[in-house]
Amino acid sequence: MGRVIARRLLQAIPILIGLSVLMFAWVRALPGGPAEALVRADASAAEVEAVRESLGLNRPIWIQYLAYLKQVVQFDFGTSLMSRQPVRAEMIDRFPASIELAVSAMIFALVIGVPLGYYAARRYGSALDHLFVASSLIGITIPVFFMAYLLKFVFAVQLGWLPTTGRSNARVESDHPTGFYVLDGLLTGNLGASWDAIQHLILPAIALGTIPLAIIVRMTRATVLDVMNEDYVRTAEAKGLTKFRISSRHVMRNALIPLVTIVGLQLGLLMSGTVLTETVFSFPGVGSFVAGALFARDYPTIQGFVVVIAVMYIIVNLVVDIAYAYIDPRVRAS
Amino acid sequence: MILTAGAAAVAAAMLASCSGSGASKTGGGDSGGTFVFGSSRLPTVLDGAYVYDNESQRVIYQMFDRLVNVKPGTTELTGELATSWEVSPTGLDYTFHLRDGVKFHDGTSLDAEAVCYNFDRLYNLKGPAQDLAEYWRISFRGFAGDKDSRYKSCEVKDPATPVLHLKERYTPLLASLASIGFGIASPTALKKYGYQVELSGDSMKFVGTFGTEHPVGSGPFQFKSWDPGKKITLERFDGYWGDKAKINTLIYVPIADGQARRQALERGEIDGYDNVAPQDVAALKGAGYEVEERPPSNVGYLAMNQSFEPLGDLRVRQAIAHAVDLDALLKANFLAGAVKPKSFLPPTFMGFNPDVITYDYDPAKAKELLAGVSNKKLDIWFATEVSRPYMPDPKSIAETFKSYLEKVGFDVTLTGRPWSPDFLAGIRNGKAPMYIVGLLPDMADPANFFTLFDNQPKRWGPLPKGLLTHIKQAEEAPEDKREALYKSLNQELMEDLPGIPYVHAPTHLAFKKGVTGFVPSPLFAESMATVSLGG
């Protein structure tokens, strides 16, 4: 197992270097530049040139790249042009928000999707099964932003049950030792703050979790159906085991194997889905910030976040592989 | 859909049954004087020396006083920290008489020494900090060591009398000193926390923490906390020299989308917000919200860069002006309250001239002027991904211009570019033949509008030399001569016609029911100290 992990980590190095070169070249190929983005609207060309010079943008590009690489290995991603905060501080601030949102969306998708998928498989061919399959197909096809607007309009604007924007109520005082607001409330004994954070998470999490939910329903249904037709399940039934024991020990454990891969991949995809959800709900996470950075040509932010998100993808995939090996002994043996 | 929406409904219903109404229960306007304001974004820094945008100004304005300010809701200058002042006949020496007993939030005294420390610190900014100090550069042109700096020194005549000495006359100085760039900060805090700026990769970072964690001024509100990206919290300063703020706590939260700001107001998550979308004004008023309108003090214009043919020909520019029905354009793109301009300078400013040459809607005359002109190709640039009071929907305004211009025989191409940096850089570098843009003033002086023409030569192409000379003369002339000079400049400008001013547009803020005391300002000089939440 150790060798597998080490090999995967070594494989990640050339991927990251290649990615950093691509990012660096691509961002600089965009029209306009950081100096133009930094000055006021009516600045003169001479003022822009002065800023270019201060920023070192007139140096050869490879020197700029090496300087950038040197900073990156020290986890210094520069300062955001938009917010003028260090990009690292923005990351520390915003990643917990998006991770909290993505995890909430995944919990929503799993808690509802797995039982529904299982139920549909057990009632294979019934009207309910057909309804679930058709609904999940529609679920996959609804764009995230549409779902987000719909939920916001109905449950926040019209019914007024949940907040429309942000991550917490501005009037609620709270401390954030970890940046994960729900957890922070629990850690600091401020249950009101935790509840407030949960209220702010519900609609974005549902909007973001819709597609994974639909996929998980279909995936669970398909794998449960496969597993139920396996010989060992028939054997277990013939042995007279209880239904619960058969489904928990023989069916679900085996059905979970492909599901773990899907959850891992979906978690990665959810991070990109946060762009739209966070924008609709003005949720201060990574997605909305990077989207803003792209429009503002905020080079340091774009570069920094892309590198870190790539690292996260690699880690998530690694974790999925390990989890896969843990659940499926055949993978370990190979 | 049924599945997912159903699940959503179940989850939300469960929640609603146990929580009741979210935000309105936990807070609300009646929660002991906390006012939550929805901005489109939070400031970049809370040191007025380094900002040049309305969202930063909005917050900084509450914490810092200036030597002079504008009277609420007007462009007329009045004393703030200075109760009176004298300008020497040469226009080079400004003597201010300070208000007695003013304290900074940290308890130190605001005296002449503190004032001079502030000016000297700006003059002595180094390296990248100079790039950010826009207000200083506009007013004093250069820093220590620069030959062309207007600043000479600041003298402490006595503890209540600082004197600013200039190397050359700059008459808009007082108007400029009323901007947030010249808010007087506590020297003790500046020294203790620092205000240095350093290069960091492709950007600049604030090394000193004065502007990020410890901004200390003498205004009606003092800094409490800044949760980057989420909120800034200010508290009433009970040691304020003037009328104390009516609300205890003032919180700014960022909500980028205008529709989301409206929804947040309607849900009681915020108590007020700026930049109300024009289409929301009537609905909010109808629903009983307090809607405030800023006097239309900006200008939107269609610029014509004379380096590009056929725009170098005055007859063509005149034909363009005659071809467009501005009344119809305003009706199609703006709300009632938008004003059709006489010239670039709005009527709220000194030097406004109602009797300049005008170009009425007259397609026949436009065609007549175009007789003999063979090149009738025009390229109008408009900005995408942006909305400004003077161009709520730039594309729609561009299309209106195009339809009128094509009626008189022009062949018009529309070019959309992202606002920053593509569009702005295109203008600055002289790549846009015609473009729709505008100006939001931040200084109570007509120079604000006219520097547009001599600051970025490439954006206009060759302008008459006389015009540029007269702009400089008007900036430097003694106060009593300036009004006449600006009146004549307006005429001169409209004769040369480097662009067609099409609107002075009002902007709106909305507040929850019962909020009173907000005075909208044409220069965004808006204090929250007079605001109360009501019942």
Side-chain angles (χ1 to χ4, degrees):
Chain A
M1 181 71 84
R3 284 181 61 183
V4 173
I5 297 173
R7 198 171 64 223
R8 292 298 303 271
L9 285 176
L10 281 175
Q11 282 171 350
I13 294 172
I15 296 176
L16 285 175
I17 292 177
L19 184 82
S20 69
V21 172
L22 274 178
M23 271 309 300
F24 192 81
W26 173 69
V27 167
R28 270 158 180 76
L30 291 173
E36 298 277 8
L38 202 60
V39 297
R40 65 176 202 278
D42 54 345
S44 68
E47 285 170 307
V48 177
E49 197 43 46
V51 173
R52 271 182 64 80
E53 206 175 318
S54 315
L55 292 178
L57 291 169
N58 43 8
R59 294 174 300 174
I61 193 150
W62 63 274
I63 290 184
Q64 292 184 45
Y65 175 70
L66 288 181
Y68 168 69
L69 215 55
K70 192 177 155 199
Q71 279 187 307
V72 167
V73 293
Q74 296 167 346
F75 293 101
D76 177 2
F77 299 99
T79 307
S80 161
L81 298 177
M82 279 188 309
S83 68
R84 299 269 164 83
Q85 308 289 327
V87 173
R88 188 169 50 191
E90 291 285 3
M91 287 177 178
I92 292 170
D93 212 47
R94 288 171 185 274
F95 268 112
S98 292
I99 292 170
E100 195 173 52
L101 175 57
V103 169
S104 308
M106 192 45 80
I107 290 173
F108 162 77
L110 279 172
V111 165
I112 295 182
V114 172
L116 285 184
Y118 179 76
Y119 187 77
R122 298 298 300 216
R123 301 279 182 282
Y124 176 68
S126 69
L128 264 180
D129 177 32
H130 290 309
L131 180 70
F132 286 174
V133 172
S135 308
S136 63
L137 188 68
I138 298 169
I140 294 171
T141 54
I142 299 174
V144 174
F145 74 90
F146 178 72
M147 192 66 187
Y149 271 118
L150 189 72
L151 288 172
K152 183 178 170 181
F153 182 73
V154 175
F155 296 106
V157 178
Q158 291 296 313
L159 297 172
W161 291 351
L162 289 159
T164 59
T165 56
R167 223 185 142 192
S168 62
N169 185 335
R171 296 185 182 92
V172 172
E173 291 278 338
S174 52
D175 293 322
H176 303 297
T178 69
F180 295 95
Y181 280 16
V182 178
L183 185 67
D184 288 340
L186 298 173
L187 290 177
T188 56
N190 188 348
L191 295 182
S194 275
W195 181 232
D196 178 52
I198 291 171
Q199 284 180 297
H200 282 81
L201 273 172
I202 289 174
L203 292 181
I206 293 173
L208 191 59
T210 310
I211 292 177
L213 166 63
I215 292 172
I216 285 169
V217 169
R218 292 171 73 85
M219 199 68 185
T220 310
R221 177 182 172 276
T223 52
V224 168
L225 276 177
D226 279 352
V227 173
M228 279 196 317
N229 289 327
E230 292 287 344
D231 291 344
Y232 55 81
V233 175
R234 213 170 306 128
T235 308
E237 280 170 350
K239 276 163 69 182
L241 294 183
T242 61
K243 264 194 172 177
F244 176 76
R245 202 170 162 79
I246 294 169
S247 58
S248 64
R249 187 163 180 137
H250 296 283
V251 177
M252 280 318 284
R253 175 124 192 219
N254 285 296
L256 275 178
I257 295 170
L259 207 61
V260 170
T261 316
I262 290 292
V263 168
L265 289 175
Q266 286 294 320
L267 256 180
L269 282 176
L270 280 184
M271 291 301 287
S272 53
T274 57
V275 172
L276 296 167
T277 317
E278 288 178 2
T279 305
V280 172
F281 288 99
S282 301
F283 197 87
V286 173
S288 52
F289 193 67
V290 173
L294 275 169
F295 286 127
R297 303 282 190 274
D298 188 346
Y299 289 41
T301 301
I302 301 169
Q303 287 169 343
F305 275 82
V306 168
V307 168
V308 171
I309 289 171
V311 170
M312 285 176 68
Y313 258 93
I314 290 170
I315 292 172
V316 166
N317 276 311
L318 189 65
V319 170
V320 168
D321 284 353
I322 295 168
Y324 209 69
Y326 175 75
I327 295 172
D328 189 345
R330 287 169 300 182
V331 175
R332 255 176 295 173
S334 69
Chain B
M1 175 71 183
I2 301 165
L3 170 75
T4 46
V10 171
M14 276 163 49
L15 182 97
S17 63
C18 42
S19 80
S21 172
S24 53
K25 208 168 190 184
T26 38
D30 51 353
S31 61
T34 296
F35 189 102
V36 183
F37 193 98
S39 305
S40 57
R41 62 172 180 75
L42 289 183
T44 49
V45 69
L46 294 174
D47 183 345
Y50 297 139
V51 299
Y52 197 81
D53 65 280
N54 290 335
E55 295 302 353
S56 299
Q57 170 174 1
R58 190 193 305 289
V59 184
I60 294 171
Y61 190 87
Q62 316 303 330
M63 291 188 285
F64 293 87
D65 293 321
R66 295 131 293 264
L67 289 172
V68 291
N69 201 348
V70 285
K71 286 186 181 165
T74 72
T75 55
E76 193 185 332
L77 286 175
T78 183
E80 192 162 78
L81 290 173
T83 49
S84 62
W85 60 87
E86 294 105 38
V87 184
S88 67
T90 56
L92 298 178
D93 310 293
Y94 288 70
T95 305
F96 295 95
H97 302 285
L98 296 182
R99 194 175 290 283
D100 198 25
V102 177
K103 296 278 185 202
F104 288 111
H105 303 150
D106 59 7
T108 55
S109 293
L110 196 159
D111 53 16
E113 205 148 316
V115 170
C116 283
Y117 181 87
N118 274 267
F119 282 94
D120 287 338
R121 84 133 172 159
L122 294 170
Y123 179 58
N124 289 297
L125 288 177
K126 301 260 182 306
Q130 294 183 355
D131 293 329
L132 297 180
E134 304 273 12
Y135 281 111
W136 178 273
R137 270 190 291 133
I138 290 168
S139 311
F140 293 100
R141 212 154 51 198
F143 297 85
D146 293 342
K147 266 190 276 175
D148 62 347
S149 173
R150 292 191 182 107
Y151 184 78
K152 188 172 174 194
S153 64
C154 181
E155 174 199 347
V156 179
K157 198 169 173 191
D158 64 58
T161 320
V163 186
L164 278 183
H165 299 293
L166 304 190
K167 287 184 198 157
E168 87 183 40
R169 184 196 279 272
Y170 179 64
T171 318
L173 185 69
L174 283 170
S176 172
L177 294 183
S179 70
I180 48 155
F182 296 100
I184 304 297
S186 157
T188 312
L190 284 168
K191 286 178 206 162
K192 187 171 172 189
Y193 302 110
Y195 50 85
Q196 303 85 341
V197 178
E198 273 182 11
L199 286 179
S200 160
D202 285 349
S203 188
M204 303 175 188
K205 73 175 168 198
F206 299 103
V207 184
T209 57
F210 174 84
T212 51
E213 293 169 34
H214 306 282
V216 179
S218 61
F221 287 95
Q222 58 186 335
F223 179 77
K224 186 182 175 204
S225 63
W226 185 352
D227 195 356
K230 298 185 195 81
K231 64 176 175 180
I232 286 180
T233 307
L234 310 183
E235 275 179 336
R236 175 168 59 202
F237 175 45
D238 287 324
Y240 185 57
W241 55 267
D243 292 336
K244 312 279 181 283
K246 292 185 173 151
I247 43 186
N248 293 329
T249 309
L250 177 57
I251 298 175
Y252 290 90
V253 292
I255 307 174
D257 178 49
Q259 182 67 17
R261 286 198 295 275
R262 177 182 165 179
Q263 290 167 344
L265 178 74
E266 289 171 336
R267 284 275 297 117
E269 291 164 25
I270 58 174
D271 301 307
Y273 74 96
D274 199 355
N275 299 322
V276 177
Q279 65 271 22
D280 290 343
V281 170
L284 285 168
K285 273 186 187 165
Y289 291 94
E290 316 289 345
V291 177
E292 296 286 354
E293 180 174 305
R294 287 195 187 93
S297 57
N298 48 46
V299 64
Y301 57 90
L302 171 67
M304 299 181 273
N305 187 329
Q306 297 175 31
S307 307
F308 291 85
E309 284 313 320
L311 300 168
D313 184 341
L314 178 61
R315 286 174 310 157
V316 174
R317 301 200 296 279
Q318 287 172 339
I320 292 171
H322 280 298
V324 183
D325 183 353
L326 287 183
D327 290 312
L329 182 141
L330 292 193
K331 209 170 169 188
N333 293 284
F334 295 89
L335 287 179
V339 175
K340 184 166 91 168
K342 293 269 184 193
S343 65
F344 285 81
L345 191 68
T348 38
F349 283 81
M350 176 264 281
F352 171 72
N353 183 353
D355 303 317
V356 292
I357 179 171
T358 52
Y359 301 88
D360 297 331
Y361 175 51
D362 189 347
K365 188 159 186 191
K367 282 182 188 163
E368 200 179 297
L369 284 161
L370 286 176
V373 175
S374 55
N375 180 359
K376 291 182 187 165
K377 283 193 174 164
L378 302 177
D379 179 7
I380 301 179
W381 283 36
F382 63 92
T384 58
E385 300 156 15
V386 72
S387 174
R388 289 282 185 275
Y390 49 77
M391 47 178 201
D393 181 355
K395 190 178 178 193
S396 160
I397 294 170
E399 280 167 350
T400 313
F401 273 116
K402 179 180 157 92
S403 71
Y404 279 110
L405 293 172
E406 285 184 339
K407 277 181 202 161
V408 298
F410 283 109
D411 175 9
V412 183
T413 309
L414 295 185
T415 307
R417 289 274 186 275
W419 170 250
S420 176
D422 312 44
F423 178 79
L424 291 174
I427 293 177
R428 185 182 300 126
N429 300 325
K431 291 191 177 139
M434 296 173 82
Y435 47 91
I436 291 164
V437 78
L439 183 136
L440 297 165
D442 48 21
M443 245 167 71
D445 196 280
N448 216 191
F449 289 83
F450 288 92
T451 47
L452 255 186
F453 298 94
D454 62 354
N455 190 28
Q456 292 186 14
K458 281 187 186 167
R459 69 189 281 169
W460 304 105
L463 292 175
K465 274 209 177 107
L467 179 70
L468 298 178
T469 314
H470 295 155
I471 289 174
K472 197 160 170 17
Q473 281 172 353
E475 263 184 18
E476 292 169 0
E479 197 57 57
D480 55 339
K481 304 232 162 44
R482 296 180 76 220
E483 182 160 11
L485 288 173
Y486 278 113
K487 279 190 166 173
S488 128
L489 258 178
N490 277 314
Q491 170 70 9
E492 219 175 311
L493 201 57
M494 291 313 285
E495 278 172 9
D496 184 66
L497 209 61
I500 300 166
Y502 62 81
V503 74
H504 300 307
T507 54
H508 297 88
L509 303 99
F511 296 96
K512 72 171 205 170
K513 294 163 197 171
V515 169
T516 55
F518 185 88
V519 184
S521 159
L523 301 170
F524 298 88
E526 291 156 350
S527 172
M528 293 297 287
T530 51
V531 173
S532 66
L533 283 157

